[in-house]
Amino acid sequence: MNVMDSSQEISIAQNNLAKRMPVNKYNNGSPMTPKTTRLERLLRERELRKSSRNFQQSDEPRDGNKEAELLNDSRLAEGDIWAVPKEEDFYDAFARAFADGCQWQDGRPAKQRLLVVANRLPVSATRKGEDSWQLEMSVGGLVTALLGVKEFDARWIGWAGVNVADDVGQRALTKALAEKRCIPVFLDEEIVHQYYNGYCNNILWPLFHYLGLPQEDRLATTRSFQSQFDAYKKANQMFADVVNQHYEEGDVVWCHDYHLMFLPKCLKEYNSKMKVGWFLHTPFPSSEIHRNLPSRSELLRSVIAADLVGFHTYDYARHFVSACTRILGLEGTPEGVEDQGKLTRVAAFPIGIDSERFVRAIDLPPVQEHMKELKQRFAGRKVMLGVDRLDMIKGIPQKILAFEKFLEENPQWRDKVVLLQIAVPTRTDVPDYQKLTSQVHEIVGRINGRFGTLTAVPIHHLDRSLDFHALCALYAVTDVALVTSLRDGMNLVSYEFVACQASKKGVLILSEFAGAAQSLGAGAILVNPWNITEVAASIKYALDMPADEREKRHQHNFKHVTTHTSQEWAATFVSELNDTIVEAQLRTRQVPPLLPTNVAVDRYLKSNNRLLILGFNSTLTESVDALGRNGQIKELEFKLHPDIKEPLKKLCDDPKTTIVVLSGCDRTVLDDNFGEYNMWLAAENGMFLRLTKGKWMTTMPENLHMDWVDSVKHVFEYFTERTPRSHFEVRETSLVWNYKYADIEFGRLQARDMLQHLWTGPISNASVDVIQGGRSVEVRAVGVTKGAAIDRILGEIVHYKGMKSPIDYVLCIGHFIAKDEDVYTFFEPELPSESPPPASRAMVANLVRTSVPKSSASKSGSKAARLRKQRSLSALEKKAANHGSGTAPEPILQDKTSLHEGSSVLDLKGDNYFSCAVGRKRSNARYLLGSSNEVVTLLEELAQCSSCS
């Protein structure tokens, strides 16, 4: 069985689409969609992984005793203390995680290189001499992960946990780690202190777990924040440098946890085609929490540089998308976060455990021996179990207090139940953790003193970890497991308990704030750990639960734990990452390329009659990003970019060059910004036109109805009052309501409400177009577009200038909404044969300008026409017209019988036409310019050419 790689899939998808979709060689044709859906591809990958497992089992018969021998191997068992890991140290969760999910070649699974990048390597290193190191593998982690790996060639990149300053020691450690498929990142002591102990553990970790900083530390943390963040970025760059050194084309780079949030950006800057995934093992807080972080925007933008971003639960993924929407102002979609056409997929991937290891361990002699001892020790008593790190987020005090309340309310259980609490010490040098340890000891002592006897106590508390065999035995004899995390990324203790409960069928009481609650919630008893009354009641319910209900709950959880394993988790993530790359490559082919500036300038220099059509807002104005978060007022001023004035003046003075500023703004704005230049101004999407030396003329059709304006204006006023930081503009042919600076989610709700109200009321029977932008709603008369007006504008320009030579070069640049992008296709020499033709160049040949005074135009038209025309004028012009002072814009009439005058207006070859979208990756334009700063650079080069010529 052979499976196509991603490039073959893309090729086949394109071939199938090419038969039925017209393609323009400049704008890359119509949007393409893969022949197979994303779900179909992922289901196929899932079947392939199953086939891969069957292939391995049939190709290499498994020795049933091999695993037991490995687990009992003295080399592994020595010092093999089963420490409950931190959320960020999920190396044991990778157990044989890379045995699935790859492609097949020649009937056999082919390896795909996988670079796993995490803060710590799954190995502890101890220096024994100048060039000698002793390595000890982390429990269950890399050793188990690499047992039987067939398809993924996995390598680990991370910090070894030791400070090695000398070259000899670094070379020796690197060589020793290479045998374990590990690659070290060497961090000096100061970087570790500022990056790991400082920014990661004192800032990010508490924030992501909804913990506030202690009051006495807040000022000190604020002062040292910037230096810690700088160290964080530096450390991430050091990780990126090591990845770049070992990266080979086609590798998948999988970054892990909050320690490396800056890493995806660093990697993509080095190689934009690198396959990069990022996974967070902790919760991701709500946007209201994350926005407190001073570096909030930088971290978010760095993470979304990855192709795939993964979380344990949908809640965390939803919080991340919300943060990107509210803080960065990006578009959140069901698939992830979209930024100017670039989609970062965001999804939930609940992690699992190597369940087979726990299931098989129960039958091992050491485990059976431990179980026998425990049953004898606690004979006649129900066993409750808690296994946690001694950490603030684990809710150990709340758990013990709830158990105390249970004993208070149920005296009959006092000598029939025992709580075994394993609390693994962590960060023992931190005052807050020392305080927590003392608090837990105090509560345990008080409860044991109150309810204990000379022969038994209700709580057995251990401040240490257990070895793997002892822990499995403890899981197996437990009747009720109690997990009361106040905030937990996943909590795999609950999974391990379920895997060891094949015979006992114990009950799991699980905090609703643990990520595992979304996976095991149906079979567990969910509780709010802050409500000790509820937890106490749940303990009683669990102890009294009938056997048949215990059986049903256990079977539900056991099925989930044994099917959603760590292997399946990793294979699914990598499979989705590969599929995301396929879709991204297809999507990229729809994105116009960057403008070849050298070619555009060269063609400009060789042409004789040039036409430059320029948008205004976000094209000739200063970049919105440069204005910063407080740029709303400045942006509303519509001021010309400060660096563009000089090159623009040079271009306007060039007799071979005609410049048209085509904008949706009203005439006053264009007059204020361009009055001093020799150019053409087209306001209100081309409905008003003038040469800066002349008067305004109107190009509006005679049948333009504007009787809907007042009613729509009232609606816009109402929603502006209800939506803080929104505003609206009243133009002569349209009205625009903008909520760019309002709360994004509230703004969207208001926009949706507004549209419903408009369609059912003011515009239900009106001839209008409603255009919903990214942060705006515009209502304009039907037929008012830049493309529809450009033919009339060209006819006027040609007649005025008395052009003898045809226009042989056109440069059209703008940040136009989709409705107005017909201006790009107007000049397109080669159009898709099956596409509906836009306003074509031939129409320009039919245009002859006949400008007449308003009185003459009025006589030639009906009274109704005159009224419609008058409604389109501004209030100031109406007043002037009614009092007989001043003149309104002169209408441009088209003499359709005079066809010869404009027949040679355009002599445009494809290579001499350049249409450029500014900052919009989804566009009908041929090319892209990133921002108005790039427009400035381009116009400067053109101006220099004009001066030389």
Side-chain angles (χ1 to χ4, degrees):
M1 179 172 58
N2 294 319
V3 178
M4 302 171 294
D5 62 18
S6 60
S7 62
Q8 289 174 311
E9 289 186 16
I10 295 172
S11 177
I12 289 177
Q14 290 173 335
N15 290 336
N16 289 324
L17 288 166
K19 299 176 183 178
R20 53 190 173 86
M21 303 188 75
V23 176
N24 181 289
K25 69 178 181 180
Y26 297 105
N27 61 11
N28 296 320
S30 303
M32 296 188 299
T33 306
K35 183 178 180 181
T36 57
T37 66
R38 173 170 163 267
L39 180 59
E40 289 172 340
R41 293 196 300 273
L42 293 176
L43 287 175
R44 187 192 63 193
E45 287 289 330
R46 184 170 177 267
E47 293 303 315
L48 289 175
R49 290 200 298 271
K50 290 182 180 179
S51 300
S52 174
R53 295 192 195 101
N54 295 335
F55 179 87
Q56 293 173 38
Q57 292 171 0
S58 61
D59 192 44
E60 297 180 11
R62 180 168 185 154
D63 184 354
N65 297 320
K66 182 178 180 181
E67 189 77 1
E69 291 173 2
L70 285 169
L71 288 173
N72 285 304
D73 193 322
S74 60
R75 291 174 296 173
L76 299 181
E78 184 178 354
D80 189 16
I81 304 301
W82 185 267
V84 180
K86 287 187 176 182
E87 286 169 298
E88 62 267 24
D89 296 331
F90 271 78
Y91 303 113
D92 57 316
F94 291 109
R96 295 204 310 278
F98 313 112
D100 308 307
C102 67
Q103 310 291 337
W104 283 44
Q105 294 178 357
D106 301 326
R108 299 182 66 88
K111 291 186 178 182
Q112 181 178 25
R113 271 177 47 110
L114 182 65
L115 302 181
V116 181
V117 191
N119 176 61
R120 289 288 297 271
L121 290 172
V123 61
S124 299
T126 305
R127 194 163 189 172
K128 295 299 183 180
E130 184 179 2
D131 59 353
S132 175
W133 290 86
Q134 178 182 338
L135 304 181
E136 182 179 348
M137 306 308 300
S138 298
V139 177
L142 194 61
V143 176
T144 311
L146 295 182
L147 286 176
V149 171
K150 300 293 183 183
E151 289 79 17
F152 283 110
D153 183 8
R155 285 165 170 77
W156 296 78
I157 297 176
W159 178 48
V162 292
N163 179 26
V164 188
D166 60 295
D167 293 339
V168 175
Q170 289 185 4
R171 285 195 298 269
L173 180 57
T174 301
K175 183 178 180 180
L177 288 172
E179 299 177 3
K180 307 294 184 181
R181 309 174 72 85
C182 293
I183 303 167
V185 177
F186 294 105
L187 304 176
D188 60 53
E189 190 173 350
E190 179 61 22
I191 286 287
V192 171
H193 174 69
Q194 294 270 7
Y195 146 73
Y196 181 70
N197 297 326
Y199 195 77
C200 292
N201 286 345
N202 288 342
I203 295 177
L204 289 183
W205 191 88
L207 183 83
F208 283 11
H209 290 86
Y210 295 80
L211 296 176
L213 294 172
Q215 186 66 43
E216 61 270 17
D217 291 346
R218 286 182 181 173
L219 289 178
T221 300
T222 302
R223 284 193 294 267
S224 62
F225 171 81
Q226 190 58 48
S227 63
Q228 292 181 358
F229 184 56
D230 291 342
Y232 180 85
K233 291 192 290 185
K234 182 178 180 181
N236 275 246
Q237 185 60 56
M238 294 170 73
F239 276 85
D241 293 340
V242 175
V243 173
N244 295 336
Q245 290 172 12
H246 294 83
Y247 174 79
E248 297 178 5
E249 186 177 356
D251 287 357
V252 170
V253 183
W254 194 357
C255 313
H256 286 268
D257 233 354
Y258 59 90
H259 309 90
L260 301 176
M261 294 181 73
F262 223 75
L263 184 56
K265 179 183 177 181
C266 298
L267 296 175
K268 286 291 188 176
E269 287 177 348
Y270 173 79
N271 185 347
S272 61
K273 295 183 179 179
M274 190 181 292
K275 299 178 182 179
V276 179
W278 183 80
F279 191 89
L280 182 66
H281 293 279
T282 70
F284 191 89
S286 71
S287 59
E288 286 302 303
I289 297 295
H290 186 78
R291 70 189 305 176
N292 294 324
L293 192 63
S295 56
R296 58 195 184 180
S297 298
E298 285 187 82
L299 289 179
L300 290 176
R301 288 216 174 265
S302 299
V303 170
I304 63 174
D307 300 291
L308 177 63
V309 176
F311 299 90
H312 283 309
T313 72
Y314 170 73
D315 282 348
Y316 307 156
R318 177 171 54 85
H319 289 162
F320 178 80
V321 173
S322 177
C324 291
T325 301
R326 288 179 172 273
I327 296 172
L328 300 181
L330 302 180
E331 189 72 22
T333 72
E335 292 185 332
V337 179
E338 186 172 346
D339 182 13
Q340 292 295 331
K342 193 266 183 183
L343 176 68
T344 298
R345 191 178 299 281
V346 180
F349 301 91
I351 200 172
I353 62 171
D354 183 11
S355 55
E356 290 186 13
R357 185 186 184 199
F358 287 88
V359 172
R360 289 193 300 269
I362 299 300
D363 295 327
L364 297 176
V367 176
Q368 288 291 326
E369 186 64 28
H370 280 299
M371 290 174 60
K372 182 178 179 181
E373 294 175 1
L374 291 170
K375 288 178 181 179
Q376 293 175 350
R377 176 71 178 80
F378 300 112
R381 306 175 75 181
K382 294 284 187 178
V383 177
M384 296 178 59
L385 176 65
V387 181
D388 307 280
R389 281 185 298 110
L390 191 53
D391 201 306
M392 276 83 71
I393 66 166
K394 296 300 182 178
I396 296 176
Q398 287 79 2
K399 178 191 305 183
I400 298 173
L401 290 175
F403 183 63
E404 179 184 30
K405 187 167 185 63
F406 165 75
L407 295 177
E408 289 176 352
E409 296 177 348
N410 301 275
Q412 71 277 13
W413 278 102
R414 291 178 182 174
D415 57 349
K416 297 180 181 178
V417 64
V418 60
L419 172 62
L420 308 180
Q421 177 61 52
I422 311 301
V424 181
T426 180
R427 302 184 68 185
T428 54
D429 56 334
V430 178
D432 285 341
Y433 285 78
Q434 295 171 353
K435 188 184 301 183
L436 175 65
T437 302
S438 300
Q439 183 184 37
V440 170
H441 290 173
E442 179 184 346
I443 299 173
V444 170
R446 176 170 55 80
I447 295 174
N448 282 341
R450 180 180 177 187
F451 298 106
T453 64
L454 293 175
T455 57
V457 291
I459 300 177
H460 288 248
H461 181 87
L462 277 70
D463 279 332
R464 65 180 182 86
S465 57
L466 298 179
D467 65 73
F468 177 70
H469 295 156
L471 186 63
C472 289
L474 197 53
Y475 282 143
V477 302
T478 296
D479 296 281
V480 178
L482 197 53
V483 178
T484 56
S485 304
L486 305 180
R487 202 59 80 164
D488 226 344
M490 194 64 182
N491 195 291
L492 296 181
V493 167
S494 54
Y495 279 64
E496 295 168 359
F497 166 74
V498 170
C500 295
Q501 283 285 312
S503 60
K504 192 80 170 182
K505 308 295 191 298
V507 182
L508 174 64
I509 298 178
L510 182 60
S511 167
E512 63 186 63
F513 300 119
Q518 293 195 14
S519 303
L520 305 180
I525 300 175
L526 296 183
V527 295
N528 178 354
W530 294 100
N531 187 344
I532 62 173
T533 301
E534 177 189 6
V535 178
S538 298
I539 292 174
K540 184 177 187 305
Y541 181 76
L543 292 172
D544 292 334
M545 185 178 292
D548 59 339
E549 184 178 352
R550 289 204 314 273
E551 174 76 22
K552 291 178 182 178
R553 286 178 178 268
H554 170 75
Q555 289 302 330
H556 184 282
N557 285 344
F558 188 77
K559 181 179 180 181
H560 180 89
V561 169
T562 53
T563 55
H564 294 74
T565 62
S566 59
Q567 299 96 315
E568 187 67 24
W569 165 74
T572 301
F573 186 92
V574 175
S575 176
E576 290 244 12
L577 177 55
N578 283 319
D579 188 78
T580 298
I581 299 298
V582 172
E583 287 200 347
Q585 290 172 329
L586 286 168
R587 191 181 295 107
T588 300
R589 293 171 184 262
Q590 305 168 32
V591 176
L594 295 177
L595 174 69
T597 305
N598 294 337
V599 177
V601 173
D602 181 64
R603 295 288 180 181
Y604 176 88
L605 189 59
K606 295 177 180 178
S607 57
N608 295 313
N609 193 0
R610 310 142 181 162
L611 175 64
L612 272 58
I613 300 175
L614 307 175
F616 178 44
N617 193 21
S618 298
T619 304
L620 301 180
T621 58
E622 191 173 3
S623 175
V624 175
D625 292 338
L627 299 177
R629 58 182 299 190
N630 298 314
Q632 180 179 4
I633 301 301
K634 291 183 179 180
E635 187 180 353
L636 293 177
E637 292 177 354
F638 294 108
K639 292 297 183 183
L640 203 58
H641 195 293
D643 299 331
I644 211 170
K645 296 181 179 181
E646 184 177 346
L648 195 59
K649 189 175 189 308
K650 290 181 180 179
L651 290 171
C652 290
D653 293 339
D654 185 353
K656 292 184 179 181
T657 303
T658 301
I659 295 183
V660 180
V661 173
L662 181 57
S663 172
C665 296
D666 60 37
R667 289 174 280 166
T668 305
V669 174
L670 297 188
D671 284 337
D672 292 342
N673 284 278
F674 301 100
E676 61 186 273
Y677 300 95
N678 180 26
M679 62 168 59
W680 290 85
L681 304 179
E684 303 250 2
N685 299 304
M687 293 298 103
F688 297 97
L689 177 69
R690 88 172 177 105
L691 182 64
T692 48
K693 298 176 181 178
K695 299 179 181 180
W696 281 103
M697 297 168 286
T698 178
T699 66
M700 289 189 295
E702 284 292 319
N703 60 350
L704 198 65
H705 293 275
M706 301 296 294
D707 49 359
W708 47 268
V709 171
D710 290 339
S711 55
V712 172
K713 180 181 177 182
H714 291 317
V715 174
F716 278 17
E717 287 175 343
Y718 173 73
F719 279 92
T720 300
E721 293 172 359
R722 293 179 58 195
T723 313
R725 297 192 71 181
S726 68
H727 65 278
F728 75 97
E729 301 173 55
V730 179
R731 301 169 182 171
E732 296 182 45
T733 57
S734 65
L735 286 86
V736 183
W737 181 69
N738 190 303
Y739 59 94
K740 178 178 180 179
Y741 287 92
D743 179 274
I744 185 61
E745 293 186 10
F746 182 61
R748 285 176 181 166
L749 291 174
Q750 292 290 77
R752 187 170 58 189
D753 192 12
M754 172 190 285
L755 289 171
Q756 291 176 349
H757 183 75
L758 287 173
W759 282 120
T760 58
I763 62 173
S764 56
N765 296 312
S767 297
V768 298
D769 287 329
V770 178
I771 303 149
Q772 188 169 12
R775 303 284 190 275
S776 65
V777 175
E778 180 177 0
V779 181
R780 63 168 71 162
V782 169
V784 176
T785 68
K786 292 179 173 66
I790 195 66
D791 59 337
R792 298 188 290 271
I793 294 172
L794 269 183
E796 174 64 22
I797 293 173
V798 170
H799 181 276
Y800 179 87
K801 298 187 73 171
M803 286 184 181
K804 302 301 181 183
S805 61
I807 296 173
D808 59 355
Y809 179 94
V810 174
L811 174 63
C812 184
I813 305 176
H815 180 79
F816 302 138
I817 60 175
K819 180 76 173 177
D820 291 326
E821 286 203 340
D822 53 358
V823 70
Y824 295 140
T825 54
F826 176 86
F827 295 98
E828 199 65 64
E830 301 175 18
L831 293 172
S833 58
E834 299 181 21
S835 300
S840 66
R841 294 180 296 153
M843 295 175 63
V844 181
N846 300 333
L847 301 179
V848 179
R849 183 252 189 197
T850 305
S851 182
V852 295
K854 184 188 175 190
S855 57
S856 300
S858 299
K859 290 178 183 178
S860 64
S862 65
K863 181 179 180 181
R866 292 198 306 272
L867 289 175
R868 287 195 297 269
K869 182 65 67 179
Q870 191 171 357
R871 286 194 198 101
S872 69
L873 304 180
S874 67
L876 195 59
E877 288 166 335
K878 289 180 184 178
K879 183 177 180 181
N882 292 335
H883 287 80
S885 60
T887 58
E890 299 175 351
I892 298 174
L893 301 183
Q894 301 175 19
D895 184 356
K896 296 183 179 180
T897 63
S898 303
L899 301 178
H900 62 280
E901 183 172 325
S903 59
S904 60
V905 170
L906 294 175
D907 183 18
L908 193 61
K909 298 179 181 179
D911 293 340
N912 275 17
Y913 174 49
F914 298 88
S915 57
C916 307
V918 181
R920 288 186 182 274
K921 292 186 178 180
R922 290 186 175 181
S923 173
N924 292 324
R926 292 186 178 187
Y927 303 107
L928 283 181
L929 285 172
S931 67
S932 59
N933 293 328
E934 295 184 19
V935 177
V936 172
T937 303
L938 174 62
L939 295 185
E940 286 175 344
E941 294 189 35
L942 296 180
Q944 188 175 0
C945 291
S946 294
S947 300
C948 296
S949 61

